[in-house]
Amino acid sequence: MMIRLGYAKTKTEAIRLALYQFDQEHKLTEEQAFSGLAGKILEGVNSGKVKTRKFKSSELDRNGI
């Protein structure tokens, strides 16, 4: 609807606007937002809906992580 009404050009932009509006109304802290997101990701991993892979330590060191 945001795209159709001209508020956003892409779905990603529409999602960002919706998240911004939600934050403005509910005043979530960064910690609350990340905690909720991390919980959703972990649920997806545990249920098999989100795929993961193991990294070798050499891959992590090379990428500066």
Side-chain angles (χ1 to χ4, degrees), residues 52-57 59-60:
T52 60
R53 73 174 183 93
K54 291 184 179 181
F55 288 92
K56 297 176 186 173
S57 60
E59 289 180 284
L60 298 175

Side-chain angles (χ1 to χ4, degrees), residues 12-31:
T12 301
E13 194 174 299
I15 290 169
R16 287 183 181 142
L17 287 170
L19 288 172
Y20 177 78
Q21 180 184 2
F22 184 85
D23 178 56
Q24 293 300 305
E25 291 177 14
H26 300 283
K27 303 295 183 202
L28 292 178
T29 64
E30 250 185 62
E31 186 176 322

